[in-house]
Amino acid sequence: MRTGMSTLNADISPLACDNVSAFASEIFSPMPRMDQRRWAEVYLRGLLMVDGKKSVRRIAESLPIFQAKQSLQQFINQSPWDWEPVRALLARHAEASRRPQAWSVERVVIPKRGERSVGVQKRFVPELGRTVNSQLGLGVVLTSDTMSVPVDWRIALHGKWREEAAFRRSAYIPENVYGKPEWAEITDMLEEMGTRWHLSPAPVIGNLRHLPDAARLVNWLTARGIDYAVEVDASFPVTKGDAAAYPARPVTNARDVLRDATGSVAQRGAGALSLTRARRGRLISQYVRVPTAARLVKSPPQQPVRLIGEITAAQEPTRFWLTNVTGGLLEEVMPLVSLSARSRAGMQRLETHFGLRDFEGRSFRGWHHHMTMVSTAAAYSALREAAAHPGPLAAAGAHRDLSA
């Protein structure tokens, strides 16, 4: 029984679908062969319009085309088209439509059955409080207060996917691809977007509470002069004070620093410490330094950065953010932080509307192809909405450059 193309997504109208061809023609132009571009458009339409699960089988069943399933399978899983030029063009198109206010870092857990799909392993998921057999995707999203467009992806390759040749061969993982720590995969994406894709720089945001070695990512951003405002865990390592003391002061953590600050705010008053009320609640901030890894940064000490905490009625710091945007009031920094919520909502929309979790293949290439197509579907929807509500066009920002 065939499932018809229906308007599952309210923002995809029949008129919009007539414009899919023009959008696809531009975004998929880096694909070298006409048949690749044709099946890319078919797959894109399927992600936009098919009800329910967006698997190759369900997309094929919606088409009055003989052997559509075989052709779509080949396009996603075996066809050798390079996903990076497509992502780069998609990112530049999104930037030209609506200037991003931030690049948001995201971690996506994709539950899976079995153990042969690329990157699958049992991992503890702190957000769920349990162990899940899953893939872990890492993404970067161009984010503004009106739009979020995911443009780049990595898949975490740990354990057997790094070390066991049989598993690597079964997923067709290229010989030159080896799993890196999550923070390093993220820095690779940021470098790619800034230096190879030539996107205008923007502050990096995201929830790093569950990112292993999050301090290494913060060190990398700080060393390169990239603006950031990220949420961190209470145990995130810092040293107190903004004085350029070296050797560094004893390492403590975000919670203890702000507990001490909260207890003494009345006495200390102005200076490196501030306490204010904001729409989010009572906020406190203090200048700190992030301990550096000798292998990562060779010229300590790091510049002072701002640790911000949300304070409960019981005077207990409960959430923590770190930023090197140290000038201005907290009320000027927190709107940047709040963009993370929009990016996260956009990622959830990828799951419910555009088939983020629906790839059924096993290969490294197939995963990257599918995620590129999911990004394209999400971008089409977001750009249509942005066109209906015109805002500031892209322009070179005043933020510091990735290549600095």
Side-chain angles (χ1 to χ4, degrees):
M1 178 177 178
R2 293 185 179 273
T3 56
M5 291 271 192
S6 64
T7 54
L8 171 67
N9 303 331
D11 57 352
I12 304 297
S13 67
L15 178 58
C17 290
D18 290 341
N19 294 330
V20 170
S21 290
F23 183 76
S25 177
E26 177 178 355
I27 300 303
F28 300 140
S29 60
M31 297 181 186
R33 300 203 316 255
M34 183 181 298
D35 64 307
Q36 292 170 335
R37 298 190 293 274
R38 182 169 82 93
W39 287 110
E41 180 180 339
V42 170
Y43 201 86
L44 173 61
R45 288 180 180 272
L47 294 178
L48 290 169
M49 301 300 294
V50 169
D51 283 323
K53 190 171 184 178
K54 321 276 187 177
S55 65
V56 166
R57 178 182 62 82
R58 287 184 58 82
I59 293 173
E61 287 175 349
S62 71
L63 302 170
I65 302 174
F66 181 64
Q67 293 186 333
K69 181 180 177 181
Q70 180 179 343
S71 295
L72 286 173
Q73 289 275 21
Q74 197 278 335
F75 166 73
I76 287 294
N77 291 305
Q78 285 87 41
S79 185
W81 57 274
D82 186 353
W83 53 83
E84 184 185 341
V86 176
R87 293 177 184 177
L89 188 56
L90 181 68
R92 289 193 289 268
H93 189 94
E95 184 182 70
S97 173
R98 184 68 54 91
R99 175 183 169 180
Q101 294 166 267
W103 294 357
S104 183
V105 172
E106 296 288 348
R107 300 171 78 244
V108 182
V109 175
I110 305 172
K112 288 288 182 180
R113 296 178 180 177
E115 61 175 17
R116 288 290 177 176
S117 295
V118 62
V120 164
Q121 66 182 60
K122 288 181 170 60
R123 52 174 51 89
F124 181 75
V125 182
E127 298 91 334
L128 301 177
R130 58 188 174 89
T131 299
V132 180
N133 195 59
S134 59
Q135 295 169 326
L136 177 62
L138 304 165
V140 180
V141 183
L142 302 185
T143 307
S144 71
D145 55 6
T146 59
M147 185 175 71
S148 64
V149 178
V151 294
D152 210 2
W153 296 98
R154 296 292 187 273
I155 186 168
L157 298 174
H158 300 148
K160 64 191 179 187
W161 300 104
R162 268 184 59 93
E163 301 160 2
E164 297 187 25
F167 276 91
R168 291 178 58 82
R169 283 195 302 269
S170 70
Y172 299 97
I173 299 173
E175 291 185 1
N176 63 341
V177 174
Y178 282 91
K180 299 179 180 179
E182 292 175 36
W183 70 268
E185 297 283 16
I186 292 168
T187 63
D188 279 357
M189 287 188 284
L190 298 176
E191 287 272 23
E192 181 172 67
M193 292 166 60
T195 61
R196 294 211 296 272
W197 299 2
H198 304 294
L199 301 184
S200 299
V204 173
I205 62 174
N207 185 341
L208 307 187
R209 290 185 302 127
H210 305 305
L211 179 72
D213 292 326
R216 288 180 174 268
L217 175 58
V218 170
N219 280 334
W220 186 89
L221 294 168
T222 304
R224 284 155 181 77
I226 301 169
D227 290 345
Y228 61 85
V230 294
E231 186 169 3
V232 296
D233 187 73
S235 62
F236 189 91
V238 295
T239 60
K240 290 183 179 181
D242 61 348
Y246 184 74
R249 299 177 182 181
V251 176
T252 180
N253 61 64
R255 176 186 281 123
D256 288 348
V257 166
L258 292 187
R259 272 179 176 164
D260 291 348
T262 303
S264 61
V265 65
Q267 289 75 29
R268 297 182 65 179
L273 187 66
S274 63
L275 179 64
T276 188
R277 291 185 181 275
R279 193 168 50 178
R280 182 181 291 275
R282 297 180 75 221
L283 300 173
I284 191 169
S285 75
Q286 186 167 10
Y287 288 110
V288 298
R289 292 177 185 272
V290 180
T292 60
R295 288 173 295 175
L296 183 64
V297 180
K298 296 181 179 179
S299 302
Q302 286 281 50
Q303 67 183 59
V305 297
R306 200 173 196 177
L307 176 65
I308 303 171
E310 185 175 9
I311 307 301
T312 67
Q315 303 299 304
E316 180 72 11
T318 181
R319 294 181 69 184
F320 307 87
W321 296 270
L322 203 67
T323 180
N324 61 347
V325 182
T326 54
L329 302 174
L330 292 183
E331 291 88 340
E332 298 170 351
V333 175
M334 297 314 287
L336 181 61
V337 167
S338 70
L339 289 174
S340 288
R342 179 168 189 87
S343 175
R344 190 69 232 164
M347 297 302 288
Q348 292 170 351
R349 187 170 171 79
L350 293 188
E351 297 179 12
T352 58
H353 287 65
F354 304 117
L356 175 69
R357 295 186 173 194
D358 296 341
F359 175 60
E360 295 181 338
R362 296 179 174 181
S363 71
F364 178 84
R365 175 186 291 170
W367 188 88
H368 274 284
H369 283 173
H370 176 76
M371 298 302 275
T372 302
M373 298 303 297
V374 168
S375 287
T376 306
Y380 177 78
S381 176
L383 293 171
R384 270 198 71 249
E385 186 175 344
H389 304 88
L393 292 178
H399 307 296
R400 289 167 280 178
D401 198 337
L402 278 165
S403 58

